Amino acid sequence: MFWTRTLIPTMKETPEGAEIPSHVLMLRAGLISQVMAGAYIYLPLGLRALKKAERIVREEMDAAGAIELAMPSMSPLGLWEQTGRVAAFGEVLVQFSLRRQNRKVPVVLGPTHEEIVTDLVSRQISSYRQLPITLYQITSKFRNEERPRFGVLRTSEFLMKDAYSFNESLESLNQSYEQMYAAYCRIFERCGLAYLPVEAESGPIGGDASHEFMIPADNGEDVVLHCPACNYAANQEKAEIGARDCTRPEVPPAPLERVPTPGASTIEQVSKFLKCQPQELIKTLIYVADGRPIAVLVRGDHDANEGKIRRAQKAAQLELASPQVIEQVTGAPVGFAGPVGLKQKIPILADREIQHMANSVTGANAAETHLTGVNLDRDFRVDLFADLRSAVDGDPCPRCSAKLALRHAIEVGHVFKLGTKYSEALGAHFLDAKEQRGPLIMGCYGIGVNRIIAGLIETSHDKDGIIWPVAIAPYEVLLVPVKVPDEPSMNVAQQLHDQLRAAGIDVLVDDRDCRAGVKFKDADLIGIPLRVVIGERGLKEGKLEIKWRWEKKAEMIALEGAAEMLAALVREERDGRKRYHGR
């Protein structure tokens, strides 16, 4: 391909509204163009990279035994009502009505496809002899993102690979899960990503076990805790905290006192008013677990973790109580709850850190009033101690004695063990070997293909532009004739182009008649892995200059046999990434 015959609209300046490197560089390098917030056109370079990532995903899914199909983006709202996910997704679910004849048909644009694939399987799979089976597709998904941002990392329409396994037993599900997990590792390794598998919550998808595949990145919206010693990793929603010293300090118990705190209801306000530290406060949160109110206690400088609370309470549903329920339970408005003298007797759960506290400050269950000198056992009792807070940097690892490190990251893939949530809701049953009828056991496996590209760029760039690995680079070789009007230079460029294409190498020729400095800047910006400079002086000496994008120094090679040598270098780098090291 020749530069002047395709569309590569590079930009010198940072576009307005671009916040992070991947967004800036995808716009500046001419990979994408924005249509509206959350919607982008993939221009030729961006589409080529996207298609290469898609090809790797497809190859590894096929190799793992998954079967490809294509499902529609649009589906009837009724399917989603059967599984309860209309409420679970809320405003994120794109809904509208079609007018057909004299009636309205409510439909959904799928953010994922559990309902559609389970409905299909309920009609096509009836016997254990047809199991196990894993079905997958690569298609556009739709989510009404309230705040689209970060370029293609958070959009309303995105390309996703989603796969679904159907199994007759938990043992079979575990095998399917491990096959997909291993396939994901191969996919991300082939794409050149520095990824980290982490334990995760399942969220609105459902299920009871899952892993996310994360790309550690400074601008990532997700937070993970990672132990460098034993490699334990989990997202902040799931991360466990290791054993802590919960010995209460040996200090004389202070008297319990009621203190007016007008205008102070938050941890920050109360700490400032009472001239104490947030870690001296006990934060009391009122939740509703399966319809029953409960109180949860965490230290003032910590955040309660709803996933941990839900599991500790063994609740199917958990949500913060409404202001009305809080007042019924505590006798006070929001911001003044405490474990001492609750109006209603409800279960009290506490994070283990509470055992370590003495002479604490809590809400007094009265408006604009707090208690000081609060002590466990003397003033209140706890029904259950558990790990109920979100882990933070420096917390002990739950698997070894080292400390956890907090890292920001970009989620690029997620695998779930769904169990029977969807098969039971949608009637996907089968007959086992004993002629017993039961629900199919499911797994779900997703990859954000767009995020492979954006995540790679976010972690593989320098001040000059993108640094692509060969595997997903839009082109593998960039030929740069320094002087386009020079006929010998262009003849060599054309010959190399044709020979490399014949050898199966993706090659781009920068045939623009402009200064060499402009070409070199654009070469670094778009980040093609191997740059080949064709200059008059070099040609007189029978040589070409070659340079890998991630290396500082260029080298000279002989013109004779150059196409064969370049092709061999590219193939070697495709297979093993022996040279690529990103930024």
Side-chain angles (χ1 to χ4, degrees):
M1 178 55 72
F2 287 77
W3 197 297
T4 59
R5 300 177 197 171
T6 186
L7 180 62
I8 308 176
T10 58
M11 304 165 60
K12 291 182 181 179
E13 305 298 329
T14 298
E16 184 178 351
E19 303 172 273
I20 61 173
S22 59
H23 190 193
V24 170
L25 291 172
M26 290 185 80
L27 288 167
R28 285 193 58 216
L31 271 63
I32 58 174
S33 177
Q34 184 169 330
V35 178
M36 59 179 284
Y40 290 86
I41 297 168
Y42 276 82
L43 299 172
L45 288 185
L47 184 61
R48 289 181 67 88
L50 193 67
K51 289 295 184 184
K52 287 189 174 183
E54 182 181 332
R55 185 188 68 208
I56 289 172
V57 171
R58 180 172 281 111
E59 288 174 355
E60 292 298 340
M61 293 303 294
D62 291 347
I67 308 301
E68 187 172 9
L69 44 64
M71 292 178 276
S73 296
M74 189 168 61
S75 60
L77 180 65
L79 279 177
W80 298 76
E81 290 174 335
Q82 289 182 61
T83 60
R85 289 213 295 173
V86 175
F89 272 107
E91 293 298 323
V92 172
L93 194 64
V94 179
Q95 303 179 47
F96 56 96
S97 293
L98 300 176
R99 183 172 292 280
R100 290 181 174 171
Q101 297 178 347
N102 294 321
R103 62 191 179 93
K104 287 185 177 180
V105 179
V107 296
V108 166
L109 289 182
T112 179
H113 273 68
E114 282 80 7
E115 281 78 2
I116 296 88
V117 75
T118 308
D119 179 61
L120 166 72
V121 168
S122 73
R123 292 180 278 110
Q124 303 296 333
I125 302 290
S126 58
S127 170
Y128 74 97
R129 294 184 177 88
Q130 297 168 279
L131 302 172
I133 189 169
T134 299
L135 303 172
Y136 84 97
Q137 64 174 352
I138 302 175
T139 193
S140 292
K141 307 286 187 179
F142 300 87
R143 298 189 183 187
N144 179 30
E145 288 288 352
E146 185 175 342
R147 192 185 172 204
R149 60 194 303 232
F150 295 162
V152 303
L153 282 175
R154 185 171 288 279
T155 57
S156 297
E157 180 180 354
F158 52 96
L159 187 66
M160 182 176 174
K161 187 285 301 176
D162 50 327
Y164 307 91
S165 65
F166 296 87
N167 305 86
E168 61 176 308
S169 65
L170 289 174
E171 292 77 15
S172 177
L173 170 62
N174 290 337
Q175 290 174 5
S176 295
Y177 190 89
E178 291 303 322
Q179 287 169 352
M180 290 297 103
Y181 187 102
Y184 275 37
C185 292
R186 293 192 298 270
I187 287 166
F188 300 135
E189 286 167 3
R190 287 182 60 185
C191 289
L193 297 177
Y195 69 96
L196 181 67
V198 306
E199 295 179 15
E201 287 285 331
S202 296
I205 297 292
D208 58 4
S210 69
H211 287 83
E212 290 170 341
F213 289 80
M214 296 286 197
I215 305 170
D218 293 340
N219 293 304
E221 289 189 290
D222 289 286
V223 175
V224 302
L225 282 300
H226 177 233
C227 176
C230 70
N231 218 32
Y232 167 80
N235 68 18
Q236 197 171 40
E237 294 175 323
K238 182 76 171 180
E240 302 168 34
I241 303 170
R244 291 158 279 171
D245 180 10
C246 290
T247 305
R248 203 177 307 178
E250 295 183 4
V251 295
L256 185 67
E257 295 186 3
R258 293 171 65 89
V259 181
T261 53
S265 60
T266 68
I267 295 295
E268 183 180 2
Q269 290 167 343
V270 175
S271 299
K272 187 175 181 180
F273 189 92
L274 295 178
K275 296 181 174 55
C276 61
Q277 298 300 314
Q279 55 265 36
E280 297 177 62
L281 275 67
I282 294 176
K283 183 162 46 179
T284 303
L285 301 165
I286 307 300
Y287 285 91
V288 175
D290 292 340
R292 295 177 55 214
I294 62 171
V296 174
L297 313 181
V298 295
R299 208 170 72 182
D301 58 334
H302 291 154
D303 292 323
N305 185 304
E306 292 189 4
K308 293 181 178 181
I309 296 166
R310 178 177 52 79
R311 289 191 294 275
Q313 186 66 15
K314 298 179 180 178
Q317 300 290 331
L318 181 81
E319 60 183 358
L320 281 168
S322 66
Q324 293 79 10
V325 171
I326 291 172
E327 191 154 0
Q328 290 171 9
V329 168
T330 68
V334 175
F336 299 96
V340 182
L342 285 166
K343 189 175 180 181
Q344 292 183 7
K345 182 174 176 57
I346 60 173
I348 298 178
L349 285 68
D351 181 68
R352 294 191 182 107
E353 215 79 47
I354 300 301
Q355 298 173 85
H356 183 68
M357 300 179 69
N359 298 331
S360 305
V361 176
T362 73
N365 295 317
E368 300 196 331
T369 309
H370 280 76
L371 295 176
T372 62
V374 177
N375 285 277
L376 177 65
D377 295 331
R378 185 194 72 179
D379 302 314
F380 69 96
R381 295 189 180 279
V382 169
D383 296 292
L384 175 68
F385 286 102
D387 175 11
L388 299 180
R389 69 170 174 90
S390 294
V392 297
D393 190 68
D395 273 333
C397 172
R399 304 288 187 267
C400 70
S401 58
K403 291 185 177 181
L404 296 172
L406 184 147
R407 309 172 72 177
H408 288 272
I410 296 166
E411 181 188 345
V412 70
H414 205 157
V415 293
F416 308 84
K417 293 180 182 178
L418 293 178
T420 60
K421 172 183 171 68
Y422 296 93
S423 54
E424 288 182 333
L426 296 168
H429 294 87
F430 76 106
L431 290 176
D432 64 19
K434 297 179 180 179
E435 295 294 312
Q436 298 294 313
R437 188 171 177 81
L440 289 160
I441 302 173
M442 293 176 58
C444 170
Y445 318 93
I447 288 178
V449 185
N450 313 73
R451 285 178 163 239
I452 291 177
I453 304 303
L456 187 283
I457 294 171
E458 189 65 32
T459 55
S460 184
H461 67 272
D462 59 17
K463 63 181 179 62
D464 298 314
I466 301 166
I467 303 174
W468 290 108
V470 165
I472 59 174
Y475 291 94
E476 296 163 318
V477 176
L478 176 64
L479 302 177
V480 185
V482 175
K483 292 186 177 180
V484 170
D486 180 59
E487 189 173 344
S489 295
M490 287 307 297
N491 286 339
V492 169
Q494 183 70 61
Q495 291 170 10
L496 284 174
H497 171 271
D498 295 346
Q499 290 170 340
L500 288 169
R501 280 197 63 188
I505 305 300
D506 292 330
V507 57
L508 175 66
V509 180
D510 188 349
D511 59 334
R512 294 175 297 170
D513 187 7
C514 58
R515 291 182 292 108
V518 172
K519 292 187 174 188
F520 293 158
K521 279 188 174 296
D522 276 351
D524 284 343
L525 177 60
I526 67 174
I528 305 305
L530 187 55
R531 187 187 74 190
V532 181
V533 178
I534 304 166
E536 290 180 288
R537 182 182 300 177
L539 289 182
K540 289 177 182 177
E541 298 174 357
K543 293 182 179 180
L544 300 171
E545 178 190 283
I546 69 169
K547 179 180 176 296
W548 292 100
R549 173 64 180 87
W550 49 81
E551 292 181 354
K552 292 183 178 180
K553 292 185 178 180
E555 59 181 295
M556 304 301 291
I557 65 168
L559 175 59
E560 186 177 353
E564 291 81 0
M565 180 180 179
L566 293 170
L569 288 171
V570 169
R571 290 194 195 99
E572 180 184 48
E573 190 62 18
R574 271 184 196 166
D575 296 338
R577 294 195 318 278
K578 295 181 179 179
R579 300 170 183 265
Y580 171 77
H581 50 74
R583 63 176 176 186

Coordinates of all heavy atoms in Angstrom, one line a residue, residues 71 92 124 165 220 318 358 367 371 440 451 454 458 460 541 550:
M71 N -24.8 -13.9 16.3 CA -26.1 -13.6 16.9 C -26.4 -12.1 16.6 O -25.5 -11.3 16.5 CB -26.1 -13.9 18.4 CG -25.9 -15.3 18.7 SD -25.9 -15.7 20.5 CE -24.1 -15.4 20.8
V92 N -27.9 1.6 31.6 CA -26.9 1.2 30.6 C -27.5 0.4 29.5 O -27.0 0.4 28.4 CB -25.8 0.3 31.4 CG1 -24.8 -0.3 30.4 CG2 -25.1 1.2 32.4
Q124 N -32.0 -26.1 21.0 CA -31.2 -27.0 20.1 C -30.4 -28.1 20.9 O -30.0 -29.1 20.3 CB -30.2 -26.1 19.4 CG -30.8 -25.0 18.6 CD -31.6 -25.5 17.4 OE1 -31.4 -26.6 16.9 NE2 -32.6 -24.7 17.0
S165 N -20.0 -21.4 27.3 CA -19.8 -22.8 27.4 C -21.1 -23.4 28.1 O -21.6 -22.8 29.0 CB -18.6 -23.3 28.2 OG -18.6 -22.9 29.5
G220 N -5.5 3.5 34.0 CA -6.5 2.5 34.0 C -7.6 2.9 35.0 O -7.3 3.5 36.1
L318 N -27.9 -7.1 47.9 CA -27.5 -6.1 48.9 C -27.5 -4.7 48.3 O -27.0 -4.5 47.2 CB -26.0 -6.5 49.4 CG -25.4 -5.6 50.5 CD1 -26.0 -6.0 51.8 CD2 -23.9 -5.6 50.4
A358 N -10.1 1.5 70.1 CA -10.5 1.8 71.5 C -10.8 3.3 71.6 O -10.1 4.1 70.8 CB -9.4 1.4 72.5
A367 N -29.7 13.4 65.5 CA -29.3 14.4 64.6 C -28.2 15.3 65.1 O -28.2 15.7 66.3 CB -30.5 15.2 64.2
L371 N -20.8 10.3 69.4 CA -20.4 9.7 70.7 C -18.9 9.7 70.6 O -18.3 9.3 69.6 CB -20.9 8.4 70.9 CG -22.5 8.2 71.1 CD1 -22.8 6.8 71.2 CD2 -22.9 9.0 72.3
L440 N -28.7 -26.8 32.2 CA -27.3 -26.8 31.8 C -26.5 -25.9 32.7 O -27.0 -24.9 33.2 CB -27.3 -26.2 30.3 CG -27.8 -27.2 29.3 CD1 -28.2 -26.4 28.0 CD2 -26.8 -28.2 28.9
R451 N -10.3 -2.8 23.2 CA -9.4 -2.6 24.4 C -8.0 -3.2 24.2 O -7.1 -2.7 24.8 CB -10.1 -3.1 25.7 CG -11.2 -2.2 26.1 CD -11.9 -2.7 27.3 NE -12.7 -1.6 27.9 CZ -12.5 -1.1 29.2 NH1 -11.6 -1.7 29.9 NH2 -13.3 -0.1 29.6
A454 N -6.3 -0.2 22.3 CA -6.1 0.9 23.2 C -5.2 0.6 24.3 O -4.3 1.4 24.7 CB -7.5 1.5 23.7
E458 N -1.7 2.4 25.2 CA -1.6 3.1 26.5 C -0.3 2.7 27.2 O 0.3 3.5 27.9 CB -2.8 2.7 27.4 CG -2.9 3.5 28.6 CD -3.2 5.0 28.4 OE1 -3.8 5.4 27.4 OE2 -2.7 5.8 29.3
S460 N 2.4 1.1 25.5 CA 3.5 0.9 24.6 C 3.6 2.1 23.7 O 3.1 2.1 22.5 CB 3.3 -0.4 23.8 OG 4.5 -0.6 22.9
E541 N 25.9 3.4 -2.4 CA 26.7 2.4 -1.7 C 26.1 1.0 -1.7 O 26.7 0.1 -1.1 CB 27.0 2.9 -0.3 CG 27.7 4.2 -0.2 CD 27.8 4.7 1.3 OE1 27.3 4.0 2.2 OE2 28.4 5.8 1.5
W550 N 11.3 0.5 18.3 CA 11.6 0.6 19.8 C 13.1 0.7 20.1 O 13.5 0.7 21.2 CB 11.0 -0.6 20.5 CG 11.3 -1.9 19.8 CD1 12.5 -2.7 19.9 CD2 10.5 -2.6 18.8 NE1 12.4 -3.8 19.1 CE2 11.2 -3.8 18.4 CE3 9.2 -2.4 18.3 CZ2 10.6 -4.7 17.5 CZ3 8.7 -3.3 17.4 CH2 9.4 -4.4 17.0

